[in-house]
């Protein structure tokens, strides 16, 4: 699977070329975070995220409730992002939005809003692929990787190793064949009685536990692909057996259980990353996506960097989980390459790299 944007239309006007400044307003609404960001000449001037708390009580994201919350949030969120950047709508040169992948109702809210703004302001529209944006979040900070680089993108819906040759030339060289790493965290957390989303809570408890206390099965998957569905089953059977002996087993061992589950997930991820470096010879290594906020994974990548001579890059926390800043930086590169979209562009729940 490789990425290129060639089949998009070049319909953007070039309102900013007079002063050579490029100011982009970006909107992200693919799942349960409503976010807006302003990017000025490749620098993120604001990145505001409204998290939706409504899903916690259901133990997962409820798509219809997510769409409704996006509808309520989108105007105030865009307003805050513009104010924080100290810029007016009229000064914006292009409007960007997440086109795919994601929940279709959620994507539709952001897409319709962006298209309406583009039409009303007569500004070009830029459709952005959410997974490409996670990778390019590594280009936001001053300390950024040079090309080519490898990126392990680990989120709630995806686990991929991407080879980036340039901002718009990305190739997926490995991915999960079933669950994503974020799902492995969240499903294990659920088995441990932790509320959704469990990933950050596993991380927190793991910091007080022993990562080698318990051992869970690691899958043997060929090439650079991953599998995480077996881990959930392995944790489930282990807990069932232990709870027969001690019904308070989870309560009494929560920190060690979290540390051991987290350790297993990190081992699986790092082994494949090591293999990807060996296969490609590329030693600039990044991580991205919600799970890259995990303190254990961040430490493990840095350790691997020291041990194997890699240059490692980790985005700041606010650019790891879903945010419009990563959409804005991706749109900036698409703007410079003249990759604009027509107003009839539609969001899609699942998409090849577009
Ligand atoms: O990228 P993201 O915000 O949304 C998707 O595009 O899916 O990723 C969300 C995922 C969830 O599974 C969440 O539990 C996980 O990232 N996550 C973490 C941490 N913070 C977020 N997993 C482990 N440790 C964390 N600190
Ligand atoms: Zn994401």
């Amino acid at each position: 699977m490789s990425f290129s944007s060639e089949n998009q239309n070049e319909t953007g006007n070039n309102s900013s070329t007079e002063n050579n400044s490029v100011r982009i307003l970006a909107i992200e609404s693919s799942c349960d975070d409503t976010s807006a960001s302003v990017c000025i000449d490749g620098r993120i001037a604001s990145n505001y995220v409204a998290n939706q708390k409504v899903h916690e009580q259901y133990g997962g994201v409820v798509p219809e409730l997510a769409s409704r919350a996006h509808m309520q949030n989108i105007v105030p969120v865009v307003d805050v992002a513009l104010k924080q950047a100290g810029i007016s709508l009229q000064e914006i040169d292009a409007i960007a939005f997440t086109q795919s992948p994601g929940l279709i109702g959620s994507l539709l809210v952001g897409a319709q809003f962006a298209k309406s703004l583009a039409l009303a302001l007569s500004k070009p529209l830029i459709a952005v692929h959410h997974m490409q944006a996670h990778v390019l979040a590594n280009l936001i900070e001053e300390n950024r990787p040079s090309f080519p680089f490898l990126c392990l993108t680990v989120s709630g819906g995806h686990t991929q190793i991407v080879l980036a040759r340039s901002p718009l030339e990305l190739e997926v060289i490995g991915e999960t064949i079933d669950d994503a790493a974020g799902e492995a965290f969240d499903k294990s957390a659920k088995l441990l009685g932790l509320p959704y989303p469990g990933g950050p809570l596993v991380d927190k408890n793991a910091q007080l536990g022993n990562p080698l206390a318990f051992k869970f099965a690691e899958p043997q998957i060929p090439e650079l692909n991953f599998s995480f569905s077996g881990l959930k089953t392995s944790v489930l059977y282990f807990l069932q057996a232990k709870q027969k002996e001690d019904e308070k087993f989870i309560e009494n061992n929560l920190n060690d259980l979290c540390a051991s589950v987290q350790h297993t997930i990190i081992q699986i991820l790092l082994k494949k990353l090591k293999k990807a470096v060996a296969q490609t010879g590329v030693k600039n290594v990044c991580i991205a996506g919600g799970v890259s906020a995990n303190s254990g994974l961040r430490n493990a990548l840095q350790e691997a960097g020291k041990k194997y001579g890699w240059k490692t890059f980790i985005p700041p926390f606010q650019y790891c989980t879903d945010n419009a800043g990563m959409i804005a930086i991706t749109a900036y590169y698409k703007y410079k390459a003249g990759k604009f979209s027509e107003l009839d562009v539609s969001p899609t729940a699942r998409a090849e790299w577009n």
Side-chain angles (χ1 to χ4, degrees):
M1 233 184 297
S2 64
F3 167 90
S4 79
S5 315
E6 285 135 28
N7 48 10
Q8 294 204 356
N9 298 304
E10 302 193 8
T11 56
N13 65 28
N14 256 344
S15 55
S16 69
T17 45
E18 290 146 30
N19 58 11
N20 282 327
S21 191
V22 180
R23 293 148 302 200
I24 294 169
L25 170 67
I27 291 157
E28 153 64 31
S29 71
S30 63
C31 191
D32 61 339
D33 295 309
T34 319
S35 180
S37 167
V38 173
C39 172
I40 302 174
D41 296 330
R43 183 184 60 83
I44 300 300
S46 67
N47 178 42
Y48 187 71
V49 184
N51 302 118
Q52 302 177 3
K53 298 284 170 219
V54 63
H55 308 285
E56 273 170 24
Q57 59 187 301
Y58 300 100
V61 177
V62 183
E64 175 62 18
L65 295 181
S67 313
R68 288 186 211 173
H70 284 308
M71 298 273 287
Q72 283 175 344
N73 291 344
I74 196 141
V75 172
V77 163
V78 167
D79 228 29
V80 174
L82 289 167
K83 282 205 180 87
Q84 286 183 347
I87 200 168
S88 72
L89 258 187
Q90 285 64 33
E91 293 172 282
I92 292 292
D93 298 305
I95 316 287
F97 69 100
T98 305
Q99 184 190 10
S100 65
L103 300 171
I104 194 66
S106 292
L107 289 165
L108 270 166
V109 177
Q112 290 310 118
F113 189 87
K115 289 202 274 184
S116 309
L117 264 187
L119 184 64
L121 298 169
S122 299
K123 300 292 179 188
L125 186 66
I126 303 174
V128 171
H129 193 289
H130 183 87
M131 297 312 294
Q132 180 188 16
H134 270 306
V135 175
L136 298 196
N138 280 285
L139 302 184
I140 291 175
E141 293 289 291
E142 288 288 309
N143 175 33
R144 63 185 68 140
S146 53
F147 291 95
F149 67 78
L150 289 172
C151 184
L152 171 70
T153 315
V154 271
S155 72
H158 294 80
T159 300
Q160 299 179 327
I161 298 180
V162 173
L163 172 60
R165 294 188 179 86
S166 77
L168 304 185
E169 274 179 289
L170 309 187
E171 186 186 352
V172 179
I173 57 172
E175 61 190 332
T176 183
I177 57 167
D178 44 50
D179 287 355
E183 275 177 288
F185 269 104
D186 295 340
K187 287 178 178 174
S188 303
K190 199 170 178 183
L191 294 173
L192 296 173
L194 298 171
Y196 179 86
L201 294 168
V202 171
D203 187 356
K204 197 168 159 227
N205 293 319
Q207 288 170 31
L208 303 169
N210 173 7
L212 304 176
F214 307 111
K215 203 163 167 41
F216 300 108
E218 281 185 34
Q220 302 302 319
I221 306 296
E223 306 299 332
L224 298 174
N225 293 330
F226 302 91
S227 166
F228 285 102
S229 62
L231 177 63
K232 181 193 63 186
T233 316
S234 167
V235 173
L236 175 68
Y237 289 162
F238 176 79
L239 292 177
Q240 281 174 346
K242 289 289 185 186
Q243 280 172 312
K244 275 187 195 148
E245 298 159 15
D246 170 11
E247 61 179 29
K248 289 200 165 175
F249 179 76
I250 294 179
E251 207 179 306
N252 292 338
N253 296 278
L254 187 61
N255 294 338
D256 285 350
L257 283 165
C258 287
S260 301
V261 166
Q262 179 171 301
H263 178 73
T264 309
I265 295 172
I266 293 170
Q267 288 307 302
I268 296 170
L269 294 172
L270 263 287
K271 271 185 196 163
K272 291 296 169 127
L273 206 42
K274 211 175 132 192
K275 195 168 180 179
V277 172
Q279 275 186 18
T280 60
V282 173
K283 288 190 169 187
N284 289 329
V285 185
C286 311
I287 51 175
V291 180
S292 66
N294 182 269
S295 58
L297 179 59
R298 295 166 88 90
N299 290 339
L301 182 74
Q302 274 161 352
E303 288 304 312
K306 280 187 213 144
K307 194 167 166 192
Y308 304 120
W310 305 346
K311 273 193 184 166
T312 58
F313 302 86
I314 305 176
F317 285 108
Q318 69 268 31
Y319 301 124
C320 289
T321 45
D322 287 349
N323 68 91
M326 67 185 195
I327 306 300
I329 194 78
T330 308
Y332 171 71
Y333 287 102
K334 290 187 96 166
Y335 186 104
K336 289 209 300 184
K339 305 291 182 192
F340 299 101
S341 292
E342 297 282 7
L343 281 173
D344 63 0
V345 62
S346 298
T348 49
R350 294 204 168 272
E352 289 293 303
W353 295 66
N354 58 352

